[in-house]
Amino acid sequence: SYQRFPRIKICEVKPNFMKFELRDTDSCIANALRRLMIAEVPTIAIDLIEIEGNSSVLNDEFISHRLGLLPLTSERAMSMRFSRDCDACDGDGQCEYCSVELN
């Protein structure tokens, strides 16, 4: 049973990368740190999919669900608004401030 006073040794730091060692703690502290780092990465997700043609053995709903699970990184993610909070399009998610269209 470790005390909850972890020691962190920073080994390498780059603009988008950091390597460190975490010692003298238990797994719940390491997991909390991991979850915090994941939560702070700005991402966007696929919400609406229109499939025009599908010749695969997978049905459209399965493909749509799997695509929705992919986190997409973007330079604009931090400046985007949630569609529910967007006043430019009244929350319908169809403007340049709260949505991105991929073809």
XYZ file of all heavy atoms in Angstrom:
815
model
N 0.845 -1.188 0.000
C 0.000 0.000 0.000
C 0.886 1.246 0.000
O 1.527 1.564 0.987
C -0.935 -0.001 1.195
O -0.209 0.130 2.374
N 0.898 1.907 -1.123
C 1.705 3.118 -1.268
C 0.961 4.305 -0.687
O -0.256 4.351 -0.645
C 1.989 3.407 -2.741
C 2.874 2.406 -3.403
C 2.360 1.465 -4.275
C 4.233 2.399 -3.158
C 3.181 0.546 -4.896
C 5.069 1.493 -3.765
C 4.527 0.563 -4.635
O 5.341 -0.339 -5.245
N 1.719 5.263 -0.239
C 1.112 6.524 0.149
C 0.720 7.268 -1.121
O 1.231 6.993 -2.198
C 2.081 7.359 0.958
C 2.406 6.773 2.304
C 3.341 7.680 3.072
O 3.741 8.738 2.584
N 3.687 7.279 4.271
N -0.142 8.212 -0.985
C -0.603 8.950 -2.160
C 0.209 10.222 -2.370
O -0.328 11.300 -2.552
C -2.077 9.254 -2.032
C -2.835 7.960 -1.957
C -4.209 8.098 -2.343
N -4.837 6.792 -2.199
C -5.979 6.487 -2.679
N -6.654 7.376 -3.348
N -6.487 5.304 -2.510
N 1.511 10.053 -2.323
C 2.435 11.145 -2.612
C 3.371 10.670 -3.709
O 4.508 10.269 -3.453
C 3.218 11.546 -1.359
C 2.348 12.027 -0.248
C 2.081 11.220 0.840
C 1.783 13.292 -0.311
C 1.271 11.659 1.865
C 0.967 13.735 0.720
C 0.701 12.919 1.804
N 2.896 10.692 -4.939
C 3.708 10.137 -6.031
C 4.922 11.000 -6.326
O 4.947 12.199 -6.075
C 2.744 10.136 -7.208
C 1.743 11.177 -6.899
C 1.618 11.200 -5.404
N 5.923 10.348 -6.884
C 7.103 11.043 -7.380
C 7.046 10.971 -8.903
O 6.856 9.908 -9.473
C 8.387 10.390 -6.871
C 8.597 10.588 -5.384
C 9.959 10.119 -4.920
N 10.157 8.705 -5.238
C 11.300 8.188 -5.673
N 12.353 8.957 -5.851
N 11.410 6.908 -5.913
N 7.220 12.109 -9.526
C 7.204 12.175 -10.992
C 8.549 12.702 -11.451
O 8.991 13.777 -11.030
C 6.077 13.080 -11.512
C 4.715 12.531 -11.086
C 6.152 13.215 -13.022
C 3.556 13.402 -11.464
N 9.192 11.933 -12.330
C 10.457 12.358 -12.929
C 10.192 12.611 -14.408
O 9.790 11.710 -15.145
C 11.509 11.266 -12.771
C 12.827 11.592 -13.428
C 13.788 10.421 -13.327
C 15.035 10.704 -14.139
N 15.898 9.521 -14.202
N 10.387 13.847 -14.846
C 10.180 14.207 -16.248
C 11.452 13.882 -17.015
O 12.517 14.424 -16.731
C 9.798 15.683 -16.392
C 8.482 15.941 -15.648
C 9.690 16.067 -17.858
C 8.079 17.373 -15.592
N 11.318 12.991 -18.010
C 12.475 12.532 -18.781
C 12.685 13.328 -20.058
O 13.817 13.607 -20.437
C 12.305 11.052 -19.130
S 12.103 10.003 -17.693
N 11.595 13.673 -20.739
C 11.708 14.354 -22.031
C 10.457 15.185 -22.276
O 9.351 14.744 -21.994
C 11.851 13.293 -23.131
C 12.074 13.837 -24.507
C 12.222 12.720 -25.537
O 12.285 11.534 -25.158
O 12.269 13.066 -26.722
N 10.652 16.410 -22.803
C 9.528 17.297 -23.091
C 9.680 17.849 -24.500
O 10.737 18.365 -24.863
C 9.447 18.464 -22.081
C 8.335 19.417 -22.452
C 9.268 17.948 -20.677
N 8.623 17.711 -25.304
C 8.530 18.296 -26.639
C 7.198 19.029 -26.720
O 6.361 18.871 -25.830
C 8.610 17.199 -27.701
C 9.957 16.509 -27.754
C 9.967 15.454 -28.837
C 11.313 14.729 -28.851
N 11.333 13.654 -29.840
N 6.954 19.805 -27.760
C 5.684 20.554 -27.825
C 4.433 19.672 -27.724
O 3.460 20.058 -27.100
C 5.753 21.253 -29.182
C 7.204 21.403 -29.444
C 7.864 20.191 -28.842
N 4.439 18.490 -28.316
C 3.269 17.617 -28.280
C 3.569 16.259 -27.659
O 2.868 15.282 -27.912
C 2.711 17.404 -29.693
C 2.122 18.668 -30.257
O 1.496 19.434 -29.548
N 2.361 18.893 -31.535
N 4.583 16.191 -26.829
C 5.012 14.907 -26.284
C 5.727 15.132 -24.960
O 6.485 16.090 -24.807
C 5.965 14.229 -27.285
C 6.569 12.959 -26.798
C 5.875 11.770 -26.875
C 7.844 12.950 -26.265
C 6.439 10.589 -26.426
C 8.423 11.774 -25.810
C 7.713 10.587 -25.897
N 5.472 14.256 -23.999
C 6.199 14.307 -22.741
C 6.379 12.888 -22.228
O 5.452 12.097 -22.222
C 5.446 15.121 -21.693
C 6.212 15.244 -20.404
S 5.649 16.605 -19.382
C 4.651 15.798 -18.213
N 7.592 12.576 -21.834
C 7.908 11.266 -21.284
C 8.276 11.460 -19.822
O 9.104 12.298 -19.493
C 9.070 10.646 -22.062
C 9.380 9.230 -21.682
C 10.465 8.683 -22.604
C 10.777 7.249 -22.278
N 11.790 6.705 -23.197
N 7.607 10.676 -18.941
C 7.871 10.811 -17.521
C 7.761 9.457 -16.834
O 7.205 8.511 -17.374
C 6.918 11.820 -16.874
C 5.472 11.439 -16.946
C 4.880 10.727 -15.917
C 4.698 11.794 -18.033
C 3.552 10.375 -15.971
C 3.369 11.451 -18.102
C 2.793 10.734 -17.065
N 8.308 9.389 -15.623
C 8.219 8.199 -14.786
C 7.385 8.544 -13.562
O 7.614 9.565 -12.914
C 9.604 7.743 -14.335
C 10.471 7.213 -15.427
C 11.845 6.805 -14.916
O 12.052 6.774 -13.672
O 12.717 6.538 -15.749
N 6.442 7.690 -13.256
C 5.585 7.862 -12.088
C 5.909 6.756 -11.096
O 5.826 5.582 -11.420
C 4.115 7.798 -12.519
C 3.062 7.955 -11.441
C 3.131 9.345 -10.828
C 1.685 7.704 -12.026
N 6.316 7.140 -9.883
C 6.753 6.155 -8.879
C 6.065 6.412 -7.539
O 5.539 7.484 -7.285
C 8.257 6.232 -8.673
C 9.061 5.842 -9.881
C 10.547 5.933 -9.539
N 11.353 5.604 -10.687
C 11.822 4.385 -10.948
N 11.568 3.406 -10.132
N 12.559 4.167 -12.019
N 6.130 5.389 -6.705
C 5.655 5.459 -5.321
C 4.184 5.855 -5.216
O 3.801 6.726 -4.428
C 6.511 6.417 -4.486
C 7.943 5.944 -4.374
O 8.165 4.722 -4.481
O 8.834 6.787 -4.201
N 3.362 5.223 -6.007
C 1.926 5.446 -5.930
C 1.204 4.181 -6.363
O 1.821 3.261 -6.896
C 1.507 6.662 -6.768
O 0.151 6.975 -6.485
C 1.675 6.407 -8.246
N -0.091 4.139 -6.167
C -0.838 2.968 -6.591
C -1.508 3.231 -7.935
O -1.451 4.323 -8.492
C -1.837 2.530 -5.520
C -2.732 3.660 -5.062
O -2.674 4.734 -5.654
O -3.490 3.449 -4.098
N -2.172 2.220 -8.433
C -2.714 2.296 -9.791
C -3.864 3.289 -9.928
O -4.093 3.816 -11.012
C -3.163 0.916 -10.256
O -4.188 0.425 -9.417
N -4.585 3.580 -8.847
C -5.701 4.526 -8.979
C -5.198 5.942 -9.264
O -5.843 6.690 -10.016
C -6.604 4.488 -7.757
S -5.881 5.130 -6.257
N -4.052 6.324 -8.735
C -3.486 7.640 -9.033
C -2.992 7.677 -10.476
O -3.213 8.650 -11.199
C -2.348 7.986 -8.057
C -2.872 8.038 -6.621
C -1.665 9.285 -8.436
C -3.886 9.124 -6.371
N -2.348 6.617 -10.920
C -1.880 6.554 -12.300
C -3.060 6.581 -13.266
O -3.021 7.259 -14.299
C -1.044 5.292 -12.512
N -4.141 5.880 -12.943
C -5.321 5.873 -13.805
C -5.995 7.238 -13.826
O -6.453 7.694 -14.876
C -6.304 4.799 -13.334
C -7.406 4.581 -14.325
O -7.180 4.583 -15.529
N -8.605 4.397 -13.819
N -6.048 7.919 -12.690
C -6.620 9.268 -12.650
C -5.811 10.230 -13.506
O -6.373 11.063 -14.229
C -6.697 9.761 -11.215
N -4.501 10.122 -13.450
C -3.635 10.956 -14.271
C -3.834 10.663 -15.756
O -3.918 11.569 -16.577
C -2.179 10.745 -13.858
C -1.127 11.634 -14.495
C -1.412 13.097 -14.207
C 0.251 11.261 -13.997
N -3.954 9.378 -16.100
C -4.201 8.981 -17.493
C -5.528 9.554 -17.995
O -5.605 10.128 -19.078
C -4.225 7.458 -17.593
C -4.502 6.929 -18.983
C -4.719 5.422 -18.961
N -5.902 5.034 -18.224
C -7.128 5.018 -18.727
N -7.345 5.379 -19.972
N -8.150 4.638 -17.983
N -6.589 9.436 -17.194
C -7.894 9.955 -17.589
C -7.883 11.472 -17.742
O -8.514 12.016 -18.640
C -8.956 9.553 -16.570
C -9.324 8.097 -16.638
C -10.332 7.774 -15.545
N -10.776 6.417 -15.625
C -11.888 6.021 -16.233
N -12.658 6.914 -16.817
N -12.226 4.756 -16.259
N -7.159 12.155 -16.888
C -7.048 13.612 -16.977
C -6.353 14.023 -18.267
O -6.791 14.948 -18.948
C -6.301 14.150 -15.762
C -6.096 15.658 -15.722
C -7.427 16.342 -15.488
C -5.116 16.027 -14.651
N -5.280 13.332 -18.624
C -4.557 13.671 -19.853
C -5.422 13.422 -21.081
O -5.429 14.218 -22.025
C -3.259 12.872 -19.941
C -2.220 13.327 -18.949
S -0.623 12.523 -19.150
C -0.954 10.901 -18.513
N -6.185 12.335 -21.089
C -7.069 12.046 -22.219
C -8.160 13.109 -22.328
O -8.499 13.570 -23.415
C -7.676 10.640 -22.076
C -6.598 9.585 -22.292
C -8.822 10.435 -23.051
C -7.040 8.175 -21.974
N -8.716 13.525 -21.198
C -9.808 14.499 -21.199
C -9.364 15.874 -21.673
O -10.168 16.641 -22.212
C -10.408 14.600 -19.803
N -8.094 16.206 -21.494
C -7.617 17.538 -21.849
C -7.202 17.670 -23.313
O -6.895 18.769 -23.759
C -6.453 17.940 -20.943
C -6.868 18.185 -19.510
C -7.884 19.303 -19.373
O -7.717 20.353 -20.018
O -8.855 19.114 -18.622
N -7.195 16.577 -24.059
C -6.881 16.658 -25.486
C -8.148 17.067 -26.224
O -9.160 16.369 -26.160
C -6.363 15.302 -26.031
C -6.164 15.358 -27.530
C -5.077 14.914 -25.332
N -8.127 18.211 -26.910
C -9.336 18.656 -27.603
C -9.644 17.760 -28.806
O -8.794 17.550 -29.670
C -9.009 20.088 -28.039
C -7.528 20.159 -28.049
C -7.029 19.158 -27.053
N -10.837 17.211 -28.824
C -11.245 16.331 -29.916
C -12.640 16.702 -30.394
O -13.401 17.372 -29.698
C -11.267 14.856 -29.488
O -12.155 14.708 -28.385
C -9.891 14.358 -29.112
N -12.953 16.240 -31.590
C -14.316 16.326 -32.114
C -14.725 14.913 -32.512
O -13.873 14.033 -32.674
C -14.417 17.298 -33.317
C -13.422 16.941 -34.413
C -14.216 18.727 -32.872
C -13.520 17.820 -35.646
N -16.015 14.671 -32.608
C -16.505 13.341 -32.937
C -17.508 13.402 -34.078
O -18.161 14.429 -34.297
C -17.163 12.704 -31.718
N -17.636 12.317 -34.787
C -18.602 12.208 -35.879
C -19.970 11.977 -35.260
O -20.165 11.076 -34.447
C -18.217 11.057 -36.822
C -16.852 11.335 -37.446
C -19.284 10.856 -37.876
C -16.284 10.175 -38.229
N -20.943 12.804 -35.641
C -22.274 12.736 -35.042
C -23.351 12.330 -36.043
O -24.261 11.589 -35.707
C -22.607 14.095 -34.431
C -23.902 14.093 -33.663
O -24.195 13.081 -33.012
O -24.615 15.109 -33.705
N -23.262 12.802 -37.258
C -24.280 12.526 -38.265
C -23.602 11.950 -39.497
O -22.664 12.550 -40.026
C -25.036 13.809 -38.623
C -26.081 13.703 -39.716
C -27.225 12.797 -39.259
C -26.613 15.071 -40.069
N -24.071 10.802 -39.951
C -23.478 10.128 -41.108
C -24.569 9.817 -42.115
O -25.631 9.303 -41.751
C -22.770 8.828 -40.679
C -21.629 9.138 -39.725
C -22.265 8.060 -41.893
C -20.966 7.935 -39.141
N -24.314 10.141 -43.360
C -25.211 9.773 -44.452
C -24.445 8.841 -45.384
O -23.466 9.244 -46.001
C -25.682 11.009 -45.207
C -26.561 11.925 -44.390
C -27.002 13.141 -45.177
O -26.949 13.112 -46.427
O -27.380 14.132 -44.531
N -24.861 7.609 -45.474
C -24.216 6.626 -46.337
C -25.033 6.513 -47.612
O -26.218 6.179 -47.581
C -24.099 5.263 -45.615
C -23.218 5.417 -44.374
C -23.551 4.205 -46.563
C -23.088 4.173 -43.535
N -24.412 6.800 -48.757
C -25.108 6.778 -50.046
C -25.123 5.397 -50.665
O -26.082 5.020 -51.319
C -24.473 7.791 -50.997
C -24.663 9.222 -50.547
C -24.022 10.212 -51.499
O -23.556 9.802 -52.580
O -23.985 11.399 -51.149
N -24.049 4.647 -50.493
C -23.986 3.298 -51.042
C -23.116 2.427 -50.166
O -22.065 2.848 -49.711
N -23.565 1.198 -49.906
C -22.819 0.299 -49.038
C -22.861 -1.095 -49.650
O -23.899 -1.738 -49.680
C -23.423 0.291 -47.635
C -22.682 -0.617 -46.689
O -21.641 -1.168 -47.025
N -23.213 -0.782 -45.500
N -21.720 -1.556 -50.133
C -21.655 -2.892 -50.729
C -20.915 -3.873 -49.824
O -20.596 -4.979 -50.243
C -20.977 -2.824 -52.102
O -19.654 -2.350 -51.959
N -20.657 -3.467 -48.576
C -19.930 -4.339 -47.658
C -20.907 -5.273 -46.939
O -22.124 -5.139 -47.053
C -19.146 -3.512 -46.641
O -20.023 -2.912 -45.719
N -20.360 -6.205 -46.180
C -21.202 -7.117 -45.411
C -21.684 -6.468 -44.112
O -22.555 -7.014 -43.440
C -20.449 -8.435 -45.089
C -20.130 -9.178 -46.361
C -19.196 -8.167 -44.285
N -21.138 -5.311 -43.753
C -21.531 -4.610 -42.537
C -22.705 -3.681 -42.827
O -22.721 -2.994 -43.851
C -20.354 -3.797 -41.990
C -19.075 -4.584 -41.701
C -17.951 -3.642 -41.337
C -19.307 -5.592 -40.607
N -23.681 -3.650 -41.913
C -24.826 -2.771 -42.162
C -24.478 -1.319 -41.840
O -23.499 -1.027 -41.152
C -26.074 -3.238 -41.407
C -25.900 -3.256 -39.916
O -25.086 -2.538 -39.371
N -26.688 -4.079 -39.248
N -25.289 -0.405 -42.337
C -25.015 1.034 -42.214
C -24.921 1.485 -40.762
O -24.070 2.302 -40.410
C -26.110 1.831 -42.916
C -26.124 1.624 -44.415
O -25.180 0.998 -44.929
O -27.073 2.097 -45.063
N -25.793 0.964 -39.902
C -25.801 1.372 -38.494
C -24.512 0.968 -37.794
O -23.985 1.708 -36.966
C -27.006 0.759 -37.768
C -28.338 1.324 -38.205
C -28.846 0.703 -39.501
O -28.296 -0.332 -39.954
O -29.780 1.277 -40.076
N -23.994 -0.218 -38.115
C -22.754 -0.681 -37.512
C -21.588 0.215 -37.927
O -20.777 0.635 -37.097
C -22.477 -2.131 -37.917
C -21.243 -2.717 -37.311
C -21.240 -3.155 -35.999
C -20.071 -2.815 -38.047
C -20.093 -3.688 -35.431
C -18.920 -3.347 -37.494
C -18.934 -3.781 -36.178
N -21.510 0.532 -39.205
C -20.445 1.411 -39.710
C -20.554 2.798 -39.082
O -19.563 3.381 -38.645
C -20.493 1.491 -41.246
C -20.183 0.120 -41.856
C -19.531 2.543 -41.775
C -20.432 0.035 -43.341
N -21.765 3.336 -39.000
C -21.981 4.658 -38.406
C -21.566 4.674 -36.941
O -20.931 5.628 -36.479
C -23.449 5.058 -38.522
O -23.831 5.154 -39.860
N -21.935 3.633 -36.218
C -21.570 3.558 -34.803
C -20.056 3.516 -34.624
O -19.501 4.230 -33.778
C -22.213 2.329 -34.165
C -21.799 2.101 -32.748
N -22.143 2.962 -31.728
C -21.052 1.130 -32.183
C -21.640 2.516 -30.598
N -20.964 1.410 -30.842
N -19.380 2.712 -35.410
C -17.928 2.591 -35.300
C -17.229 3.901 -35.654
O -16.253 4.288 -35.015
C -17.405 1.467 -36.200
C -17.851 0.080 -35.808
C -17.315 -0.353 -34.459
N -15.895 -0.499 -34.422
C -15.236 -1.630 -34.569
N -15.889 -2.753 -34.767
N -13.935 -1.658 -34.520
N -17.710 4.607 -36.678
C -17.121 5.899 -37.034
C -17.341 6.927 -35.927
O -16.484 7.775 -35.673
C -17.710 6.410 -38.348
C -17.259 5.665 -39.603
C -18.061 6.140 -40.816
C -15.781 5.843 -39.836
N -18.489 6.870 -35.244
C -18.767 7.788 -34.153
C -17.868 7.590 -32.949
O -17.715 8.484 -32.124
N -17.253 6.424 -32.825
C -16.354 6.148 -31.704
C -14.942 6.690 -31.920
O -14.146 6.714 -30.990
C -16.274 4.638 -31.455
C -17.559 3.971 -30.972
C -17.374 2.462 -30.911
C -17.984 4.517 -29.629
N -14.626 7.125 -33.139
C -13.296 7.640 -33.441
C -13.134 9.075 -32.958
O -13.867 9.957 -33.395
C -13.037 7.614 -34.952
C -12.966 6.265 -35.620
C -12.899 6.436 -37.130
C -11.772 5.491 -35.123
N -12.189 9.357 -32.057
C -11.929 10.752 -31.698
C -11.052 11.392 -32.774
O -10.062 10.821 -33.200
C -11.180 10.647 -30.372
C -10.523 9.309 -30.422
C -11.400 8.423 -31.269
N -11.456 12.537 -33.244
C -10.709 13.248 -34.284
C -10.048 14.476 -33.668
O -10.712 15.266 -32.996
C -11.654 13.677 -35.408
C -12.477 12.569 -36.053
C -13.490 13.156 -37.022
C -11.578 11.578 -36.745
N -8.770 14.626 -33.893
C -8.084 15.815 -33.403
C -8.160 16.897 -34.469
O -8.208 16.615 -35.661
C -6.611 15.521 -33.059
O -5.956 15.021 -34.216
C -6.510 14.509 -31.937
N -8.171 18.136 -34.024
C -8.282 19.253 -34.945
C -7.651 20.486 -34.325
O -7.713 20.680 -33.106
C -9.756 19.527 -35.248
O -9.906 20.727 -35.953
N -7.064 21.316 -35.152
C -6.522 22.593 -34.683
C -7.657 23.515 -34.234
O -7.484 24.362 -33.381
C -5.713 23.266 -35.796
C -4.501 22.483 -36.255
C -3.408 22.443 -35.211
O -3.297 23.407 -34.434
O -2.674 21.444 -35.163
N -8.844 23.340 -34.823
C -9.985 24.194 -34.513
C -10.803 23.708 -33.326
O -11.744 24.369 -32.912
C -10.924 24.269 -35.722
C -10.387 25.073 -36.862
C -11.422 25.231 -37.958
N -12.722 25.595 -37.422
C -13.871 25.253 -37.978
N -13.902 24.524 -39.056
N -15.011 25.626 -37.442
N -10.511 22.545 -32.782
C -11.360 21.946 -31.755
C -11.514 22.844 -30.529
O -12.593 22.913 -29.950
C -10.812 20.585 -31.350
N -10.467 23.523 -30.120
C -10.552 24.386 -28.936
C -11.416 25.620 -29.167
O -12.019 26.144 -28.241
C -9.156 24.824 -28.485
C -8.366 23.732 -27.812
S -9.126 23.130 -26.300
C -8.920 24.526 -25.228
N -11.504 26.084 -30.412
C -12.285 27.292 -30.676
C -13.722 26.988 -31.093
O -14.528 27.904 -31.209
C -11.603 28.120 -31.776
O -11.572 27.387 -32.986
N -14.037 25.718 -31.281
C -15.401 25.361 -31.685
C -16.351 25.448 -30.499
O -15.956 25.342 -29.348
C -15.435 23.953 -32.284
C -14.761 23.856 -33.622
S -14.834 22.212 -34.328
C -16.555 22.099 -34.725
N -17.633 25.622 -30.802
C -18.680 25.670 -29.780
C -19.423 24.342 -29.768
O -19.472 23.641 -30.763
C -19.683 26.767 -30.103
C -19.097 28.129 -30.277
C -20.163 29.091 -30.736
N -19.587 30.378 -31.075
C -20.203 31.299 -31.794
N -21.417 31.076 -32.238
N -19.615 32.433 -32.059
N -20.024 24.021 -28.630
C -20.963 22.908 -28.611
C -22.192 23.330 -29.403
O -22.628 24.475 -29.305
C -21.365 22.556 -27.179
C -20.280 21.884 -26.392
C -19.602 22.558 -25.394
C -19.941 20.564 -26.653
C -18.607 21.934 -24.665
C -18.940 19.932 -25.934
C -18.279 20.624 -24.946
N -22.759 22.421 -30.178
C -23.914 22.787 -30.993
C -25.086 23.239 -30.127
O -25.846 24.117 -30.518
C -24.331 21.627 -31.899
O -24.661 20.495 -31.139
N -25.217 22.680 -28.924
C -26.324 23.094 -28.047
C -26.150 24.518 -27.518
O -27.110 25.163 -27.120
C -26.463 22.113 -26.892
C -25.270 22.109 -25.972
C -25.441 21.148 -24.806
N -24.274 21.133 -23.968
C -23.278 20.267 -24.074
N -23.341 19.310 -24.981
N -22.240 20.329 -23.277
N -24.907 25.031 -27.528
C -24.622 26.371 -27.025
C -24.403 27.387 -28.134
O -24.112 28.552 -27.853
C -23.375 26.352 -26.135
C -23.528 25.464 -24.927
O -24.680 25.293 -24.470
O -22.515 24.935 -24.441
N -24.529 26.973 -29.383
C -24.224 27.860 -30.513
C -25.404 28.789 -30.785
O -26.522 28.338 -31.025
C -23.897 27.025 -31.748
S -23.356 28.030 -33.137
N -25.139 30.090 -30.744
C -26.189 31.058 -31.038
C -26.224 31.442 -32.513
O -27.177 32.064 -32.973
C -26.029 32.302 -30.159
C -24.650 32.930 -30.268
O -23.786 32.361 -30.954
O -24.435 33.987 -29.646
N -25.212 31.057 -33.278
C -25.184 31.397 -34.703
C -26.188 30.573 -35.507
O -26.723 31.035 -36.505
C -23.780 31.201 -35.266
N -26.435 29.333 -35.077
C -27.361 28.472 -35.826
C -28.522 27.988 -34.959
O -29.243 27.066 -35.341
C -26.621 27.275 -36.410
S -25.961 26.155 -35.168
N -28.696 28.580 -33.793
C -29.767 28.215 -32.853
C -29.716 26.752 -32.441
O -30.735 26.117 -32.216
C -31.144 28.557 -33.417
C -31.340 30.055 -33.589
O -30.788 30.804 -32.748
O -32.025 30.468 -34.532
N -28.514 26.177 -32.377
C -28.348 24.837 -31.857
C -28.629 23.695 -32.803
O -28.642 22.547 -32.385
N -28.837 23.963 -34.094
C -29.098 22.845 -35.009
C -27.820 22.211 -35.550
O -27.869 21.209 -36.245
C -30.026 23.254 -36.150
C -29.406 24.258 -37.111
O -28.254 24.685 -36.885
O -30.073 24.613 -38.099
N -26.647 22.757 -35.210
C -25.366 22.160 -35.576
C -25.023 22.248 -37.047
O -24.327 21.398 -37.579
N -25.463 23.287 -37.713
C -25.225 23.409 -39.148
C -24.490 24.686 -39.528
O -24.694 25.238 -40.590
C -26.575 23.386 -39.889
C -27.379 22.119 -39.681
C -26.696 20.906 -40.281
O -26.117 20.985 -41.354
N -26.746 19.794 -39.581
N -23.589 25.145 -38.665
C -22.827 26.357 -39.004
C -21.343 26.101 -38.835
O -20.930 25.076 -38.280
C -23.281 27.539 -38.150
S -22.769 27.466 -36.436
N -20.530 27.017 -39.276
C -19.079 26.869 -39.252
C -18.491 26.955 -37.849
O -17.350 26.543 -37.630
C -18.424 27.927 -40.130
C -18.668 29.346 -39.632
C -18.141 30.402 -40.584
O -18.720 30.576 -41.656
O -17.123 31.028 -40.213
N -19.234 27.459 -36.872
C -18.726 27.608 -35.516
C -18.866 26.343 -34.669
O -18.163 26.162 -33.696
C -19.426 28.763 -34.814
C -19.275 30.076 -35.534
C -20.351 30.665 -36.166
C -18.034 30.696 -35.608
C -20.208 31.868 -36.847
C -17.883 31.905 -36.285
C -18.973 32.472 -36.914
O -18.835 33.651 -37.580
N -19.828 25.472 -35.030
C -20.074 24.304 -34.182
C -20.048 22.979 -34.950
O -20.324 21.938 -34.370
C -21.402 24.450 -33.447
S -22.858 24.467 -34.504
N -19.722 23.014 -36.240
C -19.706 21.751 -36.983
C -18.663 21.783 -38.103
O -18.215 22.848 -38.522
C -21.083 21.468 -37.582
O -21.414 22.420 -38.578
N -18.310 20.604 -38.532
C -17.379 20.423 -39.653
C -18.004 19.376 -40.555
O -18.556 18.373 -40.087
C -15.997 19.914 -39.155
C -15.064 19.633 -40.311
C -15.380 20.902 -38.196
N -17.931 19.581 -41.849
C -18.490 18.620 -42.781
C -17.349 17.911 -43.541
O -16.473 18.566 -44.093
C -19.410 19.308 -43.790
C -20.092 18.339 -44.718
C -21.122 19.018 -45.615
O -21.668 20.061 -45.211
O -21.350 18.487 -46.719
N -17.365 16.613 -43.504
C -16.375 15.794 -44.207
C -17.068 15.022 -45.323
O -18.150 14.481 -45.122
C -15.703 14.817 -43.243
C -15.047 15.418 -42.002
C -14.635 14.323 -41.045
C -13.869 16.261 -42.382
N -16.452 14.974 -46.477
C -17.007 14.200 -47.606
C -16.003 13.171 -48.057
O -14.835 13.376 -48.055
C -17.356 15.128 -48.776
C -18.487 16.056 -48.471
O -19.504 15.632 -47.942
N -18.311 17.335 -48.759
